[in-house]
């Protein structure tokens, strides 16, 4: 099988086309699944209602109907807005999600780019999305939009630090930044000499995992960290003036980045595309790996959306205090403890 | 080497054009956005040199942190949409002289040191475990440990200084 598949020699542009289609699928499929399963159905069940039921069996085509509706809508740009930047902003946000997925491995040979700097690259490109949000807020020429953009920037800057620091613990344990290396380190690791399930870093880096999840929630601006789009105060924050296709792009970016960060969390802490007991180099992992990773994405995303549908919104000062006075000191202690244990063992 | 040379000049041309926009544009937010293009160009040049760790750091620090903070500050204080006639400083020629002198010194240092040496064919540093990143970290924490720590102290003092300037109860 391997010889058969690998015997096909593809030109560089053919590989690029295939990878582009692959990234499109990797961005859109989890995003659509998250919207249907969590936003449409799980939220409805938590609120004792059925959610969409009409479009398709059990409402499963509802998302397509919504996309069709948004595409038809008129593209309105406010008269006083900075037209070019207003039009550009959603594309910046969506682009960063695509770039994030580029770094995530799905199997031994199923990756878009096997980067030496792996997780560091992902953290770097995901930090660009703030720029799109700031530009969207400013160029709308609307005070609610501007306030939403500023809140988003303040929040994302504050929570980027604990996220990076939480990842450092994992990197110290795995001794590599490369995500394939991190997957392999978890698969081949052992817990006090017992290597039955490898060593998924959620066990040894549990504090890091918790910090990462909280920072994740804030980076995705999901409730309780949704002050940038707080409907009751800011209409819809930086998205207020957007309609039609451009709003759809923001919407896709929100859920696609939830999927992307869930994939990163799954790779860092839950063993990525590997399962205990499988052969990491086996060919079938290229097919099984993406399915395993998708299952783990759904697991992490379930936690994110569970919290989103459960808790009310923070106040702005509570948000900043949590980041600077709790999460950052905690993650620094976590790094010190990991370093000490790494040197000791 | 030809492809790298062509892309170096393409990226350099984009960077120079964006840098001109930074100083001539009369809208402070648009000037800041043009500065982002310059920084992204620097990152692209690092990637051409197979220095992906430095390129990623460039993106994370300059685009993801410094420019976001800068835009944040601009939007908090003054960020009108449209033209702002007060954007050009009266003493812009001082800046021009400084920039020319800096370009002269740096250009001279580079040409004096490297001359017309061609870049090595394989620019990956594979001293430690075949990994560029590991090699960089190895260099920082052994050979260049003292400069690295001195820079940390410098940043710390800058941080303390910023707090002292910002606090109100003086």
């Amino acid at each position: 099988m391997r010889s058969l598949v690998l015997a096909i020699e593809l030109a560089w542009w053919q590989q690029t086309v295939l990878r582009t289609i692959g990234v499109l699928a990797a961005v859109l499929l989890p995003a659509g699944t998250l919207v249907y399963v969590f936003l449409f159905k799980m939220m409805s069940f938590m609120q004792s209602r059925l959610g969409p039921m009409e479009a398709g069996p059990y409402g499963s085509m509802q998302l397509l109907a919504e996309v069709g509706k948004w595409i038809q809508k008129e593209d309105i740009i406010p008269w006083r807005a900075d037209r070019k930047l207003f039009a550009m902003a959603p594309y910046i946000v969506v682009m960063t999600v695509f770039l994030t997925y580029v770094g995530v491995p799905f199997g031994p040979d199923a990756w878009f780019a096997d980067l030496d700097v792996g997780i560091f690259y992902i953290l770097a490109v995901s930090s660009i999305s703030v720029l799109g949000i700031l530009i969207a807020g400013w160029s709308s020429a609307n005070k609610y939009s501007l306030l939403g953009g500023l809140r988003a920037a303040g929040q994302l800057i504050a929570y980027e630090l604990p996220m990076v620091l939480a990842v450092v613990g994992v990197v110290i344990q795995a001794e590599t930044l490369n995500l394939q290396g991190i997957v392999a380190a978890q698969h081949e690791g052992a817990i006090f000499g017992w290597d039955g399930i490898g060593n998924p870093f959620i066990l040894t880096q549990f504090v890091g995992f918790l910090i990462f999840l909280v920072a994740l929630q804030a980076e995705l601006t999901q409730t309780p960290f949704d002050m940038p789009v707080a409907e009751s105060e800011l209409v819809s924050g930086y998205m207020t003036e957007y309609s039609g296709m451009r709003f759809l792009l923001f919407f896709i970016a929100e859920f696609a980045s939830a999927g992307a960060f869930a994939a990163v969390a799954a790779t860092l802490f839950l063993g990525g595309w590997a399962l205990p007991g499988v052969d990491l180099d086996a060919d079938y992992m290229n097919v099984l790996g993406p399915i395993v990773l998708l299952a783990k994405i759904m697991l992490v995303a379930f936690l994110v959306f569970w919290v989103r549908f459960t808790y009310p919104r923070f106040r702005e000062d509570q948000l900043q205090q949590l980041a600077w006075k709790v999460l950052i000191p905690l993650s620094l202690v976590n790094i010190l403890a990991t370093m000490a244990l790494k040197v000791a063992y | 080497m030809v492809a790298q040379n062509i892309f170096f000049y393409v990226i350099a041309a984009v960077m120079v054009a964006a840098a001109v926009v930074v100083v001539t544009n009369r809208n402070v937010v648009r000037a800041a956005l043009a500065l982002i293009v310059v920084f992204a160009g620097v990152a692209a040049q690092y990637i051409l040199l197979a220095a992906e760790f430095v390129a990623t750091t460039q993106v994370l620090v300059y685009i993801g942190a410094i420019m976001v903070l800068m835009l944040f500050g601009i939007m908090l204080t003054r960020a009108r949409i449209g033209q702002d006639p007060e954007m050009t400083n009266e003493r812009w020629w001082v800046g021009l002289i400084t920039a020319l002198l800096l370009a002269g010194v740096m250009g001279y240092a580079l040409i004096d040191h490297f001359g017309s040496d061609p870049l090595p064919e394989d620019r990956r540093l594979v001293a430690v475990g075949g990994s560029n990143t590991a090699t960089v970290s190895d260099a920082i924490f052994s050979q260049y440990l003292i400069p690295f720590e001195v820079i940390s102290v410098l940043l710390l003092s800058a941080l303390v200084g910023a707090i002292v300037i910002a606090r109100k109860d003086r």
Side-chain angles (χ1 to χ4, degrees):
Chain A
M1 181 66 194
R2 184 181 197 106
S3 55
L4 193 78
V5 174
L6 294 186
I8 305 170
E9 285 281 333
L10 288 173
W12 190 78
W13 68 269
Q14 286 164 324
Q15 287 187 25
T16 310
V17 169
L18 283 179
R19 293 218 160 117
T20 312
I21 296 169
V23 172
L24 263 175
V27 170
L28 294 178
L29 289 180
T33 315
L34 293 182
V35 172
Y36 175 68
V37 173
F38 295 126
L39 188 71
F40 287 170
K41 284 300 175 186
M42 190 176 99
M43 183 164 125
S44 303
F45 293 157
M46 286 174 75
Q47 296 168 345
S48 298
R49 60 191 174 88
L50 285 172
M53 291 294 283
E54 299 298 326
Y58 215 61
S60 53
M61 297 292 119
Q62 180 68 31
L63 188 60
L64 290 180
E66 301 267 356
V67 169
K69 181 190 76 178
W70 275 319
I71 289 177
Q72 291 173 43
K73 283 195 173 181
E74 188 188 350
D75 181 26
I76 302 169
I77 298 182
W79 180 61
R80 282 180 174 280
D82 190 322
R83 297 183 68 91
K84 274 185 199 156
L85 295 181
F86 185 83
M88 205 172 71
Y91 292 97
I92 297 176
V93 179
V94 169
M95 183 202 69
T96 60
V97 184
F98 277 75
L99 288 177
T100 313
Y101 263 111
V102 167
V104 179
F106 290 87
D109 303 308
W111 38 261
F112 300 116
D114 189 18
L115 295 165
D116 196 22
V117 284
I119 181 63
F120 191 50
Y121 160 83
I122 286 180
L123 292 169
V125 291
S126 66
S127 67
I128 302 175
S129 72
V130 194
L131 277 179
I133 291 174
L134 265 176
I135 294 171
W138 177 76
S139 65
S140 299
N142 175 328
K143 60 187 172 188
Y144 298 117
S145 296
L146 184 61
L147 274 177
L150 288 177
R151 281 189 184 187
Q155 174 172 335
L156 296 190
I157 292 167
Y159 281 86
E160 187 130 331
L161 284 168
M163 181 175 253
V164 173
L165 293 175
V167 169
V168 171
V170 171
V171 172
I172 293 173
Q173 264 208 306
E175 300 175 23
T176 177
L177 288 167
N178 182 302
L179 282 167
Q180 292 283 31
I182 290 175
V183 170
Q186 295 180 77
H187 190 261
E188 286 149 15
I191 306 162
F192 296 115
W194 178 67
D195 57 357
I197 58 165
N199 181 14
F201 289 145
I202 185 175
L203 298 175
T204 43
Q205 287 291 325
F206 188 67
V207 178
F209 182 63
L210 281 185
I211 296 168
F212 193 87
L213 271 192
V214 176
L216 179 71
Q217 195 88 16
E219 290 272 316
L220 298 172
T221 62
Q222 303 281 12
T223 331
F225 298 99
D226 67 336
M227 284 75 103
V229 288
E231 306 90 353
S232 51
E233 303 156 31
L234 296 180
V235 190
S236 189
Y238 57 88
M239 289 187 283
T240 304
E241 297 289 356
Y242 283 88
S243 64
M245 190 64 196
R246 296 186 210 285
F247 178 80
L248 179 65
L249 284 175
F250 273 124
F251 189 81
I252 290 173
E254 180 183 346
F255 285 89
S257 63
F261 274 109
V264 174
T267 307
L268 289 176
F269 295 99
L270 303 179
W273 49 266
L275 275 180
V278 299
D279 179 9
L280 271 195
D281 294 323
D283 283 327
Y284 64 84
M285 281 314 290
N286 285 323
V287 181
L288 189 61
I291 300 169
V292 171
L293 187 67
L294 186 64
K296 289 175 178 173
I297 289 175
M298 294 303 280
L299 192 70
V300 177
F302 168 72
L303 293 173
V304 170
F305 287 101
W306 188 14
V307 172
R308 168 179 169 154
F309 302 141
T310 306
Y311 288 101
R313 192 175 296 141
F314 274 134
R315 254 186 1 244
E316 197 68 31
D317 61 318
Q318 290 170 328
L319 166 121
Q320 295 291 348
Q321 282 199 354
L322 179 68
W324 295 99
K325 291 190 179 166
V326 180
L327 290 182
I328 291 176
L330 199 62
S331 51
L332 288 174
V333 170
N334 181 45
I335 290 174
L336 277 179
T338 312
M339 280 196 307
L341 288 171
K342 185 79 188 173
V343 173
Y345 293 101
Chain B
M1 283 315 279
V2 178
Q4 273 103 330
N5 279 341
I6 294 171
F7 274 96
F8 171 82
Y9 286 114
V10 170
I11 297 167
V14 172
M15 284 169 66
V16 171
V20 170
V21 172
V22 174
V23 286
T24 55
N25 199 298
R26 289 192 180 278
N27 186 311
V28 66
V29 173
R30 287 201 163 197
L33 292 177
L35 191 55
I36 290 172
V37 177
V38 180
F39 286 148
V42 175
Q45 300 287 23
Y46 285 139
I47 287 175
L48 274 189
L49 294 168
E52 46 179 45
F53 182 77
V54 187
T56 316
T57 313
Q58 170 81 16
V59 172
L60 183 75
V61 174
Y62 282 91
I63 300 179
I66 291 182
M67 284 316 296
V68 168
L69 270 179
M70 207 184 247
L71 278 172
F72 187 70
I74 292 170
M75 288 180 190
L76 262 185
T77 49
R78 44 179 281 171
R80 275 172 266 169
I81 285 181
Q83 307 275 305
D84 188 348
E86 297 160 23
M87 275 290 288
T88 302
N89 196 308
E90 269 176 31
R91 266 173 286 174
W92 58 271
W93 53 271
V94 181
L96 184 69
I97 293 169
T98 318
L100 283 176
L101 284 177
L102 192 65
V105 169
M106 286 169 77
Y108 176 77
L110 283 176
I111 292 168
D112 187 52
H113 189 264
F114 293 107
S116 54
D117 295 353
L119 281 167
E121 203 56 51
D122 185 10
R123 274 159 292 170
R124 282 166 301 170
L125 305 160
V126 283
V128 183
S131 161
N132 231 333
T133 317
T135 314
V136 170
S137 79
D138 211 53
I140 288 178
F141 289 105
S142 54
Q143 194 182 352
Y144 299 105
L145 181 65
I146 291 175
F148 178 75
E149 293 296 334
V150 169
I151 288 174
S152 312
V153 175
L154 182 72
L155 285 176
L156 183 68
S157 59
L159 209 67
V160 173
I163 293 172
V164 169
I165 292 171
R167 62 184 286 179
K168 287 179 191 144
D169 53 332
R170 268 183 299 176

